[in-house]
Amino acid sequence: MSDHIVSSFDEELNEITDGLINMGALVLAALRSVEEILKNDDHNLAQKIIDNDLQINDLGQSIEIKAFNTLASRQPMAFDLRLVFSAVKMSLYLERCGDMCKGISKRILKGDLTEADSPNTIESLVTLTNRVYENLSLVLEDYAARTSEKSLEVWSSDNEIDSIYSDILMEILNNIKSKPEAIEALVPLFFIARYLERVGDQATNIAEVTHFIVTGEVLTDEKEIQIENETTF
Amino acid sequence: MVNTIDQIINVFDEQKIRKNEALISCSGVNVFYSDKQALFDVNLDIKEKEVTSLIGPSGCGKSTFLRCINRMNDVIETCSIEGLVKINGQDIYDPKIDVVELRAKIGMVFQKPNPFPKSVYENVAYGPRLHGMFINKSDMDKKVEESLVRAGLWNEVKDRLQEPGTSLSGGQQQRLCIARAIAVDPEIILMDEPCSSLDPIATAKIEELIDELKVNYTITIVTHSMQQAARVSQKTAFFHLGHLIEVGETENIFRNPINKQTEAYVTGRYG
């Protein structure tokens, strides 16, 4: 797409887009750290995720202010309007992803993963983390390139994440049944799985937003409702 | 008198069908100023009791198109028009058409308020008197009041009816021109950048008025303000270099236009 006649308008839109890409990069880095702390029960890294979340929140706030000012001063239309309007939603979704990573870190700091004695479940959580990471990076790549093919892929494959999540829940439940004495160590795993599944949902939301920015079309959530019903635990 | 549910439904359907029909239908319209072509094969239908915005860069032909609808281009000697412009199914360029009568059915409001150098009252009464609509004063008084009320100006001028129209503020003068246009009971009101010389408050009053007037009139407005088009109109048509590039629901034109040229123009990328 060609540049605006008013070049400062382009600069404002680029600041918003770059801000969101940076925010996404911070969330992806947090997810990579989650993978590490799941593997190594690294409490120092967990604390780092909690500390870094502030940076994600600050970036989100500055994007919202920029979008607000651009709406007021430029009154954008068509693609620009979709981009600015969606920036507010995207920053909220990414901020929530950051919060989920922070939540996982807090759960890990409160206990000791090794006490759960569930290497298979930990492995499944690592798989889920990787899957969520992959989806989030795909939609962010699409957003940066202003394309929507990868977003559509992610949007249609969210049920795979839900399925991994359901399997993990069953696994934890079975562990609780067979080792009731380990319930305190096992319950945090339940929450960690839930947080990761929620990050997956946010990636789907971002996929919807990216598709809307690029095409102007709204993806219906009939499919989502169906998936939700199938996997409600 | 409508009595039964069936009759009510029939009346409703008839109104619906009528509403879906184009009041103004233009096909294959070409306009020339001497040998320079200003409009190229414009095909555009305008529905009854809707506001249609014409947008596009300066010189794109939107005002030329607007003036085709009430044959205002006739007054330009070098101007010639080809194609068909129909209102209510009637070809308005048919030699049998009475142009004065046609223009009474199609009011026009211009960029710059242009009240006659007469009193507020006479500005509004001028048209009905010219068309012999009212003979006695009390009927004329009623018509003047009704027109000023509809134009949202009555409360501001009811005690100043004998003052010159030119003594009003710019926004009031523009609403006086709208009152003057509707005093002859037109079906259509054409507006050529009616707010371009007005401050934001006066502009808001005109936009509020357009919202109210669309219940009774079909309005076509030329505007350079994309936001104004988005606020006041149900349909928007984008012109570029004399061609009608895209026409559609206003929401779609500003949210997700089909044509790349439209997108470039509405987003400020057009040079």
Side-chain angles (χ1 to χ4, degrees), chain B residues 110-122:
Chain B
F110 297 88
Q111 189 172 351
K112 207 172 158 227
N114 57 351
F116 300 140
K118 290 173 181 289
S119 67
V120 169
Y121 183 97
E122 282 303 319

Side-chain angles (χ1 to χ4, degrees), chain B residues 26 44 58 65 90 109 156-157 166 182 184 226 228 235 240 256 266 268:
Chain B
C26 304
L44 178 62
S58 296
F65 176 75
Q90 171 75 52
V109 178
E156 291 164 59
V157 300
T166 48
I182 59 183
V184 291
M226 243 79 75
Q228 181 169 69
K235 294 280 188 326
H240 180 50
N256 192 19
V266 300

